[in-house]
Amino acid sequence: MSLSIPSPANFIEDIIVEDLKSGKRTNVHTRFPPEPNGYLHIGHAKSICLNFGIAHKFADFNGLCNVRMDDTNPAKEDIEYEDSIKADVRWLGFDWEDREYYASDYYQKFYDYAIDLIKMGKAYVCELTAEQMTEYRGTLTEAGRNSPWRDRPIEESLDLFARMTAGEFPEGKMLLRAKIDMSSPNINMRDPAIYRIRKIPHHRIGDKWVVYPMYDYAHPLSDWIEGITHSICTLEFEDHRPLYNWFLETLELPNRPQQIEFARLNLSYTVMSKRLLLQLVEAKFVDGWDDPRLPTISGLRRRGYTPASIREFADRIGVAKADSIVDINLLWFCIRDELNATAPRAMAVLDPLKVKITNWPEGKVEMVQAQINPNDPEAGFREVPFSGELWIERSDFMEDPPKKYFRLAPGQEVRLISGYYVTCTDVIKDDEGNVVEIHCTYDPESKGGTTPDGRRVRGTIHWVSAAHAVDAKVNLYEHLFTRENMTNLPPDTKPMDFINENSLEVSSAKVEPYLQSIDAETRVQFMRHGYFWPDKESSSDALVFNRIVGLKDSWGKKKK
Ligand code: ATP
Ligand code: MG
């Protein structure tokens, strides 16, 4: 019985389907190959969802996806990063089973292949200095020149390479280079370096090696060693593909993996490069790699994103061959859409102003019924304490309101969500003229939001009973950068010039007592404010909430 081939959803799957149909491949094997030199970001999430998604989709064709740490640069890599990468992939919901690999495990194989290349006359030890290398390389419009060491005897290169490996020479003194074509229009093919001397201990294998393979050499070989069929990478490697193929072909390796490039994810108002994210972390502009403002997976997790919302986002952006910038509103839309259906509603006052209800019976507390989630009638109601002293939002009161301001103002009546109608009767000020408290009367017949006379009230505001309110610190986030397009900056500017100094606003809020009892996984809607969840530093006696996303949906609106 022949297996049915799934229908392709993008150009990468087109290639895979074609390969299965033609019999070029009988299986599908992808990999996610991060360099452990930083924390993963949402761009990596796109790549993870893509690679694991393909393996899953082609499960009938033994679809598998490996995780491979591309640890070929001992200077920047670290075990902390490896651990965070694994935690992030797992959190996103993907499982590499026992296929956790390290390029550093292949160092001996890389080395043996390098010797093969030298013996074939396809690689040589070069002693040009870095400066000379640049000079000899040529430019986009000018061919390069052959190194004077290019035609040295094979025996000599073998001997020097062995001595490089034995640690006889200082860093920068020599390189092993592939012998390809110094006049190639593709600069990557102009005798690229394969090995360099690096006398820095490697975080996994210590000082066993002092020569390190270059990425362009290690990558195709790692793919081949693992039996990868489709090696999916981002567009900037397109010009490296001839080199990728050259190594595999020259070494006459059968059943070669195919490199396929797609456009990397760029997101408006933020940066993706690990180098820039590291700068923000090191400058302590943000509170570590998991700062909720960062586009890192750990930052999104701490902010309150769910794995499902990120997978949904990856799905919606699709895979293309042309670079673009995705509107960050789409990411927000994905989490908002999910939480709108699932999050219980609660009331929290972020900028509190005291209201005294002068005709409320002294000391009386009444439990009112609040609907838990209007989108989920099954969820039912919750009891919320109502009393004669409440907190409301400072912005829900104006002493001299303009026309069409329907919230509280002297003489104006509003509906308190799930409570009563109240009318402002008095404004209490301090010596400087600041409003410190307002007085209202309530209509005892308006319980639940309607009155027997059916009179209309146009404003509806939220509140928290002062005697029952719990203090909470609430973190509100804005864009990390003020500029929408961070991939294409004006001349003479750098990303840090566009950092948003106001990307975090902290508010001292008064919240419903119910919020003390929610568990660490519960995301709630603070009515009229957005979706929130407890920060990792929150505890029941010191509540801290992060705003995941606001309520305003500028993505859905744009779509319409
Ligand atoms: P950065 O430039 O952000 O530091 P990188 O490409 O150096 O990222 P790697 O650890 O080498 O990071 O990437 C691991 C995998 O994730 C690669 O296959 C890479 O192509 C992919 N990847 C990295 N950034 C993005 C992105 N913005 N969109 C999609 N895929 C990405
Ligand atoms: Mg990289």
Side-chain angles (χ1 to χ4, degrees):
M1 192 190 81
S2 75
L3 295 166
S4 74
I5 299 177
S7 48
N10 54 53
F11 77 95
I12 296 177
E13 294 184 4
D14 284 340
I15 296 171
I16 295 173
V17 163
E18 206 37 59
D19 287 350
L20 292 171
K21 281 188 179 154
S22 70
K24 178 178 170 193
R25 304 281 178 195
T26 53
N27 72 316
V28 176
H29 204 145
T30 58
R31 85 289 172 262
F32 172 64
E35 186 185 350
N37 62 348
Y39 280 60
L40 298 182
H41 51 60
I42 181 116
H44 294 112
K46 173 178 179 176
S47 174
I48 294 166
C49 292
L50 180 61
N51 280 293
F52 278 94
I54 286 173
H56 184 76
K57 181 162 177 174
F58 293 89
D60 284 350
F61 297 86
N62 201 20
L64 296 172
C65 181
N66 299 353
V67 165
R68 180 196 317 141
M69 300 297 168
D70 222 324
D71 54 350
T72 46
N73 181 355
K76 293 188 179 158
E77 295 158 3
D78 199 89
I79 188 97
E80 175 200 345
Y81 297 138
E82 289 176 359
D83 291 344
S84 76
I85 288 168
K86 288 188 273 177
D88 287 349
V89 176
R90 235 178 252 126
W91 179 76
L92 279 173
F94 299 105
D95 184 4
W96 57 90
E97 298 170 318
D98 56 351
R99 295 178 311 282
E100 175 180 323
Y101 299 119
Y102 294 79
S104 53
D105 286 343
Y106 310 143
Y107 276 16
Q108 187 60 48
K109 288 184 181 163
F110 297 158
Y111 189 78
D112 295 343
Y113 283 127
I115 305 264
D116 288 349
L117 288 173
I118 301 174
K119 286 182 178 163
M120 289 169 166
K122 296 290 186 185
Y124 61 98
V125 170
C126 180
E127 296 174 46
L128 291 180
T129 64
E131 265 164 40
Q132 289 170 321
M133 281 283 282
T134 315
E135 192 192 314
Y136 275 69
R137 189 178 297 126
T139 63
L140 284 174
T141 51
E142 229 178 290
R145 277 182 293 141
N146 285 351
S147 159
W149 312 102
R150 194 174 202 259
D151 292 316
R152 76 187 333 161
I154 289 174
E155 286 311 318
E156 203 175 292
S157 280
L158 284 173
D159 175 57
L160 287 171
F161 191 44
R163 289 163 60 193
M164 275 167 71
T165 309
E168 228 176 89
F169 307 112
E171 285 191 12
K173 176 84 178 129
M174 292 177 191
L175 286 173
L176 183 69
R177 297 175 72 181
K179 193 191 278 190
I180 310 180
D181 179 5
M182 288 307 292
S183 62
S184 170
N186 183 340
I187 294 186
N188 296 303
M189 300 298 274
R190 295 184 188 168
D191 291 10
I194 309 180
Y195 269 91
R196 60 193 167 140
I197 301 171
R198 285 302 251 149
K199 296 194 169 169
I200 301 179
H202 183 281
H203 69 282
R204 287 191 80 240
I205 51 178
D207 51 12
K208 181 157 182 243
W209 293 91
V210 293
V211 290
Y212 280 90
M214 303 300 289
Y215 175 88
D216 278 342
Y217 172 70
H219 201 84
L221 290 176
S222 303
D223 282 344
W224 187 81
I225 291 166
E226 292 176 18
I228 301 304
T229 56
H230 299 87
S231 175
I232 302 166
C233 64
T234 40
L235 226 45
E236 69 272 22
F237 291 103
E238 195 167 19
D239 290 344
H240 298 237
R241 186 173 0 119
L243 182 56
Y244 182 101
N245 291 336
W246 185 89
F247 286 122
L248 298 172
E249 281 162 17
T250 305
L251 289 164
E252 295 175 25
L253 301 175
N255 217 356
R256 298 191 273 273
Q258 178 181 356
Q259 176 178 308
I260 307 169
E261 309 86 16
F262 71 101
R264 64 169 45 230
L265 168 68
N266 298 304
L267 206 51
S268 58
Y269 297 104
T270 194
V271 296
M272 291 293 182
S273 128
K274 279 181 279 189
R275 188 179 52 80
L276 289 172
L277 296 174
L278 179 65
Q279 272 181 37
L280 292 170
V281 172
E282 284 184 338
K284 298 215 175 347
F285 185 83
V286 293
D287 176 27
W289 282 99
D290 69 348
D291 187 290
R293 290 168 290 178
L294 291 179
T296 51
I297 296 178
S298 47
L300 295 168
R301 174 167 61 231
R302 179 169 169 197
R303 181 146 166 176
Y305 278 81
T306 59
S309 66
I310 293 175
R311 292 195 302 262
E312 172 69 19
F313 172 72
D315 216 43
R316 280 174 177 264
I317 56 179
V319 195
K321 193 85 195 173
D323 276 317
S324 66
I325 299 176
V326 172
D327 185 340
I328 197 165
N329 275 298
L330 176 59
L331 179 62
W332 293 351
F333 171 85
C334 291
I335 184 67
R336 187 187 292 121
D337 204 40
E338 177 183 325
L339 298 182
N340 186 26
T342 58
R345 274 52 174 171
M347 291 191 280
V349 175
L350 304 190
D351 183 12
L353 172 63
K354 182 70 78 65
V355 170
K356 195 172 268 174
I357 303 177
T358 51
N359 61 341
W360 185 264
E362 179 81 35
K364 179 179 168 186
V365 176
E366 187 179 319
M367 300 308 280
V368 299
Q369 302 289 311
Q371 193 170 14
I372 291 175
N373 183 346
N375 294 323
D376 178 11
E378 305 268 288
F381 288 81
R382 193 161 44 77
E383 292 199 321
V384 182
F386 188 96
S387 67
E389 277 194 27
L390 311 173
W391 294 109
I392 64 162
E393 220 58 72
R394 196 163 276 276
S395 59
D396 282 337
F397 171 78
M398 273 182 105
E399 196 174 10
D400 287 306
K403 255 194 173 157
K404 298 208 172 161
Y405 181 85
F406 299 122
R407 292 173 259 168
L408 265 185
Q412 211 154 288
E413 187 173 45
V414 296
R415 178 190 288 114
L416 297 173
I417 293 175
S418 306
Y420 291 89
Y421 287 10
V422 292
T423 305
C424 174
T425 53
D426 241 321
V427 183
I428 317 297
K429 296 181 187 175
D430 64 12
D431 294 344
E432 272 129 49
N434 302 310
V435 176
V436 290
E437 187 175 299
I438 57 176
H439 290 177
C440 290
T441 54
Y442 85 112
D443 175 355
E445 303 222 283
S446 62
K447 189 173 178 185
T450 50
T451 56
D453 64 7
R455 74 178 179 277
R456 256 159 67 94
V457 173
R458 299 187 68 174
T460 301
I461 66 174
H462 62 276
W463 50 275
V464 176
S465 166
H468 305 88
V470 179
D471 289 320
K473 182 177 145 184
V474 175
N475 296 315
L476 304 169
Y477 308 107
E478 289 293 334
H479 295 308
L480 193 51
F481 291 90
T482 53
R483 186 181 157 84
E484 183 171 2
N485 180 344
M486 289 299 294
T487 63
N488 188 4
L489 300 182
D492 301 321
T493 63
K494 52 186 192 310
M496 295 308 156
D497 297 342
F498 300 98
I499 197 96
N500 181 3
E501 298 290 344
N502 303 313
S503 54
L504 170 65
E505 186 193 324
V506 179
S507 114
S508 303
K510 302 283 185 187
V511 305
E512 272 188 52
Y514 151 71
L515 291 169
Q516 242 172 342
S517 66
I518 63 169
D519 64 41
E521 283 303 311
T522 305
R523 291 145 177 99
V524 290
Q525 186 195 90
F526 290 178
M527 293 171 89
R528 302 174 68 221
H529 285 304
Y531 296 95
F532 294 73
W533 89 323
D535 185 67
K536 68 174 185 188
E537 278 166 10
S538 185
S539 65
S540 58
D541 46 273
L543 293 176
V544 183
F545 287 95
N546 298 335
R547 176 151 67 186
I548 308 167
V549 69
L551 290 175
K552 204 170 122 227
D553 175 13
S554 36
W555 176 259
K557 275 199 202 105
K558 235 182 254 177
K559 281 271 168 189
K560 273 182 212 148

